[in-house]
Each structure stands twice: as C-alpha cells, then as structure tokens.
Amino acid sequence: MQAPAGTLYRGREGMWSWVAHRVTGVLIFFFLFAHVLDTALVRVSPDSYNRIMDTYKTPLVNLMEVGLVGAVLFHALNGIRVMLIDFWAKGTRYQKQMTYVVVAVLLLVMVPATYRMTAHTFAALFGSTT
Amino acid sequence: MTAVTETQQDRLVIEAPRTRKKRPSQSGRGTNFEMYAWIFMRMSGLLLVFLVLGHLSIMLLLDGGVQRINFGFVAGRWASPFWRTWDLMQLWLAQLHGTNGLRVIINDYAERDGTRFWLKMLLYTSSFLVLVLGTLVIFTFDPDLAG
C-alpha cells in the first residue's frame, strides 16, 4: 500500500495558532507549578510569603507578568476559537478569520493591560508624575 | 508480532481525516479515555476562561495590581468561602487541563517508549504533588500565623 508521504504541517494561520497554543500552554503549566509552590509559603510564615511576593513586584518579574497575561489571554481566546471550530457548524470555514479576531482582541486588551500593570514599575524606575 | 507491525505502520502512514476505525480508543482496553479527555479539555477550558481571567484581573490589573498582594491580602480573600472555592476549582481544573495537555505533547514528540513512559511518570507525579499541596494550603490556611 502506498502511504501518502509528506507532512500535516501546513503553515499559515491554522498551524501557527496551533503552535502558539502549545507553546503558551506549556509556559502556563510551568508557571502554575511555580505559583502553587510560592503560594504554599503562606503555610510556612507570613514573612516568607511576603518576601517571595516582593520578587513579583520587581521590574523584571513585573515584565514577565505581562508576558504571562498575554500567554493566558491568547490561550483562552484561541481555546474559544478551537471550541467554535469543533462545535459551530461554520467554525472550520471561518477558522482563519477567527485567528485574526483572536490576535486583534489580544492586542486590544494587552495595550491598556500592559500600561496598567507596568505603571507602578515605570513610576518607580523613572519617577513619572502620574 | 502483528501488533508491532501495525504500530510501525501507524507511524508511517498518515490516514485521511475522519477515517473510520474499528477501535477509536488508542489504549484499546474497552474504554474511551481519549474521547473523555478531549471533552474534558473543552469543558474545563471554558470554565478556566472565566476563572483564570478573573483571577488575573483581580490579582494583576485592578486596584493596585500585584503591588498590593501580601499575606494580609491573601488572608482577607481566603476569609471568604467564595474565593476559597474559586481558587480550589481553578487549581484542580487548571492542573488537570495542563497535565492532559502535556500528556498529549509528550505522546506527540517523545518517540522512544521508555522516554515517553518516564516523562509521563514525572508529569503525573509532579501533578499529584501540586494538587495535594495546593488543596492542603487552601483548606488549612491559618490567618493567625501572622500572630
């Protein structure tokens, strides 16, 4: 029997949103592991918990939180897209358009969210008047 | 013998989409585990959209964001059964959703049987520990630790 040779990786919107879904999913999984451990410090002592929370407030980790929110938001929006492809009769027909909706909503939310999340860091670093 | 040849063939041949198989379940132990896992990913995913985006909004965006989080803040939130229930559901759904996601990824990319097996053992062990630890923390939280 002649096997259909080649690959299922087709590129374009469908494949890349699938790749991004996997990558963001793995990132979120590893953050969750760290997050359960850091939260568990509330059972050790208030001081040890407060010290780990202080690292969350530093500029570098603050920037990583923006990345985390972006990753979670993409994963959530693309997850909704996946469910629409699965359960909505016209889902597969509009999967490409839905990818652009996902990216548009992501950017639309992330611009003000990034501003809000980093305002304190910028004020602390550069002494902004806001 | 036959089983081995079939496995090897499965790896080489890309079947046409929606090819009917006698046995949809890969494990073939009479269960339909993969289908239930597929459904679980969608149901838990839908709930997690609200739980996690709500959690991130409260913790990182609203009202001072991460700068205001400390032991007292956690104590204030976990004084309410509502937030403890929220966090418990979030923990279990997210951890199981993530564990199944990583299980699929390991199955996809780890080609040697031994590698696949041990990676999944590591995954299940760490998931179990995270679930036990997280659940214990939520149930045994003691605000008086602040003294």
Side-chain angles (χ1 to χ4, degrees):
Chain A
M1 188 183 109
Q2 193 61 43
T7 174
L8 283 174
Y9 294 104
R10 302 270 178 112
R12 301 203 59 90
E13 295 84 350
M15 187 195 93
W16 289 113
S17 52
W18 172 83
V19 169
H21 202 75
R22 289 207 150 177
V23 172
T24 52
V26 171
L27 288 174
I28 297 162
F29 182 82
F30 285 116
F31 171 73
L32 180 60
F33 182 81
H35 186 45
V36 171
L37 292 184
D38 68 54
T39 306
L41 289 175
V42 295
R43 287 300 291 131
V44 178
S45 75
D47 186 52
S48 52
Y49 180 74
N50 288 343
R51 263 185 293 152
I52 196 84
M53 283 321 296
D54 283 342
T55 64
Y56 273 93
K57 299 168 192 175
T58 58
L60 180 66
V61 184
N62 187 228
L63 206 62
M64 290 161 76
E65 283 150 20
V66 176
L68 175 74
V69 171
V72 170
L73 189 59
F74 172 81
H75 202 84
L77 291 169
N78 194 58
I80 294 169
R81 171 180 163 273
V82 168
M83 284 187 275
L84 286 171
I85 293 171
D86 287 339
F87 299 121
W88 177 37
K90 290 177 183 169
T92 36
R93 195 184 306 166
Y94 293 112
Q95 68 88 9
K96 203 174 282 189
Q97 286 89 332
M98 287 196 288
T99 307
Y100 289 112
V101 173
V102 165
V103 174
V105 174
L106 181 71
L107 290 176
L108 227 59
V109 176
M110 281 316 286
V111 170
T114 306
Y115 175 76
R116 269 200 85 101
M117 289 175 67
T118 54
H120 183 275
T121 294
F122 276 106
L125 283 180
F126 306 113
S128 159
T129 48
T130 50
Chain B
M1 274 304 282
T2 349
V4 175
T5 351
E6 271 170 16
T7 321
Q8 283 169 340
Q9 268 223 326
D10 281 346
R11 284 189 189 149
L12 297 171
V13 177
I14 296 169
E15 288 168 332
R18 297 193 177 83
T19 305
R20 286 270 176 195
K21 283 191 211 151
K22 273 180 213 147
R23 196 184 279 153
S25 166
Q26 277 255 296
S27 63
R29 267 170 260 140
T31 60
N32 225 344
F33 176 77
E34 291 297 341
M35 188 197 73
Y36 292 119
W38 185 90
I39 290 173
F40 171 76
M41 289 309 262
R42 273 125 193 100
M43 285 174 27
S44 60
L46 195 58
L47 289 170
L48 283 166
V49 168
F50 298 101
L51 290 171
V52 175
L53 291 182
H55 180 73
L56 287 178
S57 302
I58 293 164
M59 294 302 185
L60 299 178
L61 285 170
L62 300 175
D63 200 23
V66 75
Q67 302 297 333
R68 76 200 193 292
I69 301 179
N70 55 28
F71 185 86
F73 184 78
V74 175
R77 275 170 62 79
W78 279 353
S80 144
F82 177 81
W83 293 116
R84 282 209 305 277
T85 310
W86 182 299
D87 287 349
L88 191 69
M89 279 176 64
Q90 190 171 236
L91 168 73
W92 277 80
L93 290 173
Q95 187 63 33
L96 292 175
H97 187 100
T99 302
N100 190 54
L102 257 82
R103 180 187 68 86
V104 171
I105 289 174
I106 291 170
N107 280 341
D108 275 357
Y109 300 123
E111 294 192 358
R112 287 174 50 211
D113 287 350
T115 316
R116 237 182 5 256
F117 175 80
W118 287 113
L119 280 176
K120 281 192 273 187
M121 284 304 120
L122 180 69
L123 172 69
Y124 298 150
T125 311
S126 71
S127 290
F128 176 75
L129 292 176
V130 165
L131 282 176
V132 170
L133 178 67
T135 305
L136 276 176
V137 167
I138 293 172
F139 275 112
T140 67
F141 178 72
D142 176 16
D144 295 330
L145 216 57

